[in-house]
Amino acid sequence: MRRLTTLFPSEFLEEHAEELGVVERDRKLQIPAFVWAFVFGFAAGESRTLAGFRRSYNSTADETISPGGFYHRLTPSLAEYFRDLVEHGLDEVAVPDTVDADIDRFRDVMIADGTVLRLHEFLTDEFQARHEEQAGAKLHLLHNATEQTIERLDVTDEKTHDSTLFNTGSWLEDRLVLFDRAYFKYRRFALIDENDGYFVSRLKENANPVVTEELREWRGRAIPLEGEKIHDVVDDLHREYIDVEVEAEFDRRPYGGTQSRDRKRFRVVGVRKEDADDYHLYITNLPREEFLPSNLGTIYRCRWEVELLFRELKTQYELDEFDTTKKHVVETLLYAALLSLLVSRELLDLVTEQADDEIVFPPERWAATFRSHAQLILHELGEYLGYSPPPLLDRLIDDAQKIHQQRPVLQETLATATQPRCES
């Protein structure tokens, strides 16, 4: 338990909650128990509702909190507080490296990616989706595969394009960035190169640059590629690899009211798929002298780390199943899920340290194990922190009793609010 309280000390949780106005100074709400109830309540599937989080809190803290008192605490300030905790945790927790690739050549290898979360249709104004009558949020991550940390995260509506959140600059020097097609833009690639950085991206199907030079000679009656557009000839090729230089034309950023066109040369590499008669096509500025075509495929697989994170969040923590109509509650639950992931990784690191060296812990198997033990961990953590929750019978009575007759349930409130008003 000390590992968890070192990651998020109670004093830090209380002081920052007061700074943001999440709790009053009388501290009737025990904020450490409140935070841990969300962290472990989110991990446990049967408790992943607002009522479930309240039950987790009531089974941990010294005093129970009523449904109204609990929901009263779900404010925009709480969402901001949870986001700050995620930022704090990102600085402390390592995300395990699952890919064996030679990346020591670079200062850092960065992975940019995003995933869509489907939300309640009542949130269409706050979280616009790509399709009408839907609501969707998007989680954007910039993952440092070298340091095994998440450098940055952003939450936007679904319509916000991933690429708008990636900024170029001098920070890219000697760093390698791995992109999926959502970030594809020749101007971005040019700026990375001009800042002495490196990139690898999948080549978009509608991007068809002209081949200016073949970087590898082939014996026999090989099809010449120079002067051809890459997608026009790729289906006719049977070689194991494609390795060519291409020239792309693009618009520079407007300056002084005018926008200029520019050209730049990049490298396109094709690696034949093992189970299909076509290629994975990559565009990059990595030099051929140091990185052969086979190296490109291996390096690009580092992106699988972020895909595994997103898959774990969606499958183990059901990140995209938020049944709420309030924007700040969506944000609170999203950050609670990320906190669960960070705490899970911290405990995995502890388990790995204590286990024999030959034992391997697959991330998804560990996530399922963590989820199944979440309530037990919360119980032991509460004891470690010195909490004395009310007797179980009292909590059962408090939880199961009928809601006050003057407090309409959500469905009744909604039905009343949506009825047409009678004219007087």
Side-chain angles (χ1 to χ4, degrees):
M1 297 301 112
R2 184 179 302 173
R3 189 69 166 255
L4 298 181
T5 55
T6 300
L7 177 62
F8 293 111
S10 293
E11 184 177 358
F12 163 73
L13 295 176
E14 292 167 348
E15 289 179 353
H16 194 54
E18 283 190 5
E19 290 173 2
L20 295 182
V22 175
V23 294
E24 300 83 1
R25 289 192 176 274
D26 60 9
R27 296 184 179 178
K28 293 183 67 174
L29 180 74
Q30 293 176 299
I31 196 65
F34 191 75
V35 171
W36 292 118
F38 271 90
V39 169
F40 292 104
F42 215 105
E46 63 274 10
S47 300
R48 201 181 296 109
T49 62
L50 295 182
F53 292 130
R54 185 180 71 88
R55 283 192 290 271
S56 292
Y57 174 83
N58 287 346
S59 66
T60 306
D62 291 330
E63 297 182 12
T64 62
I65 186 172
S66 67
F70 182 83
Y71 302 139
H72 176 70
R73 272 24 184 237
L74 305 180
T75 63
S77 295
L78 180 65
E80 180 184 357
Y81 175 67
F82 271 37
R83 178 190 171 89
D84 289 349
L85 296 187
V86 171
E87 295 282 1
H88 172 82
L90 292 177
D91 293 335
E92 303 293 331
V93 178
V95 179
D97 183 6
T98 60
V99 178
D100 183 17
D102 183 13
I103 57 177
D104 294 337
R105 157 72 174 77
F106 309 100
R107 180 155 60 112
D108 291 301
V109 175
M110 315 297 292
I111 306 168
D113 207 350
T115 190
V116 173
L117 314 171
R118 191 59 54 214
L119 304 176
H120 197 289
E121 61 182 10
F122 285 0
L123 286 165
T124 51
D125 290 338
E126 292 84 357
F127 292 99
Q128 292 187 3
R130 293 181 179 179
H131 304 287
E132 294 184 2
E133 299 181 355
Q134 287 187 352
K138 185 176 285 187
L139 173 64
H140 310 262
L141 293 182
L142 182 61
H143 173 46
N144 187 325
T146 304
E147 298 295 331
Q148 301 178 27
T149 58
I150 297 175
E151 295 275 325
R152 176 178 173 179
L153 67 88
D154 293 282
V155 179
T156 67
D157 61 20
E158 184 185 351
K159 293 186 72 173
T160 299
H161 201 279
D162 301 78
S163 65
T164 61
L165 296 173
F166 186 90
N167 297 317
T168 53
S170 60
W171 70 272
L172 288 161
E173 182 178 355
D174 204 30
R175 285 189 164 101
L176 170 65
V177 187
L178 307 180
F179 297 111
D180 71 358
R181 293 188 182 98
Y183 293 84
F184 189 98
K185 189 174 289 187
Y186 289 132
R187 185 174 69 194
R188 172 174 293 112
F189 299 155
L191 288 171
I192 293 174
D193 186 70
E194 290 159 10
N195 280 281
D196 296 323
Y198 301 91
F199 70 90
V200 181
S201 170
R202 293 289 297 275
L203 185 68
K204 292 183 72 171
E205 294 182 3
N206 62 354
N208 206 10
V210 177
V211 177
T212 57
E213 182 184 355
E214 293 195 55
L215 302 179
R216 175 175 178 174
E217 293 184 2
W218 293 90
R219 297 179 182 177
R221 301 173 61 184
I223 299 175
L225 303 182
E226 189 170 333
E228 302 286 347
K229 291 186 176 181
I230 189 67
H231 277 301
D232 293 350
V233 295
V234 69
D235 290 339
D236 299 325
L237 301 179
H238 301 284
R239 59 190 68 172
E240 184 178 2
Y241 298 111
I242 301 170
D243 197 357
V244 297
E245 183 184 76
V246 300
E247 185 175 76
E249 188 175 359
F250 59 95
D251 291 325
R252 287 286 183 177
R253 188 181 298 276
Y255 183 77
T258 61
Q259 186 174 50
S260 61
R261 296 284 288 176
D262 202 354
R263 296 173 182 267
K264 196 169 183 69
R265 294 191 175 188
F266 303 105
R267 179 185 177 198
V268 168
V269 170
V271 179
R272 183 169 286 280
K273 299 178 183 178
E274 295 180 359
D275 56 350
D277 190 26
D278 58 354
Y279 294 89
H280 291 297
L281 290 176
Y282 306 101
I283 185 169
T284 183
N285 64 339
L286 292 176
R288 189 181 191 283
E289 296 77 19
E290 297 182 58
F291 298 93
L292 297 175
S294 57
N295 300 140
L296 266 291
T298 301
I299 290 173
Y300 194 76
R301 281 199 294 273
C302 288
R303 285 195 66 259
W304 185 239
E305 290 190 35
V306 173
E307 297 296 335
L308 288 175
L309 288 179
F310 287 149
R311 189 164 75 179
E312 180 177 332
L313 285 168
K314 288 188 173 183
T315 58
Q316 296 297 332
Y317 306 137
E318 298 177 12
L319 185 59
D320 56 351
E321 296 185 15
F322 294 150
D323 190 13
T324 177
T325 61
K326 295 184 177 180
K327 179 177 183 290
H328 61 272
V329 176
V330 169
E331 294 172 343
T332 298
L333 295 178
L334 171 60
Y335 296 131
L338 291 170
L339 284 172
S340 293
L341 177 65
L342 291 172
V343 168
S344 169
R345 290 292 192 259
E346 183 71 1
L347 289 179
L348 174 57
D349 188 51
L350 174 63
V351 168
T352 304
E353 289 176 4
Q354 299 297 318
D356 294 337
D357 292 342
E358 64 271 13
I359 297 178
V360 177
F361 299 98
E364 289 188 321
R365 184 174 179 84
W366 164 256
T369 302
F370 171 73
R371 176 176 171 177
S372 65
H373 288 77
Q375 289 296 334
L376 178 61
I377 299 173
L378 178 61
H379 176 73
E380 293 198 7
L381 180 59
E383 290 186 344
Y384 180 82
L385 293 172
Y387 293 125
S388 300
L392 177 59
L393 182 59
D394 291 351
R395 284 184 277 129
L396 291 174
I397 293 173
D398 181 64
D399 237 11
Q401 63 182 288
K402 184 178 180 180
I403 298 177
H404 195 282
Q405 291 183 354
Q406 292 182 346
R407 185 186 300 150
V409 297
L410 175 62
Q411 290 87 346
E412 294 172 349
T413 305
L414 182 61
T416 302
T418 55
Q419 285 178 354
R421 296 180 179 273
C422 296
E423 296 183 3
S424 40

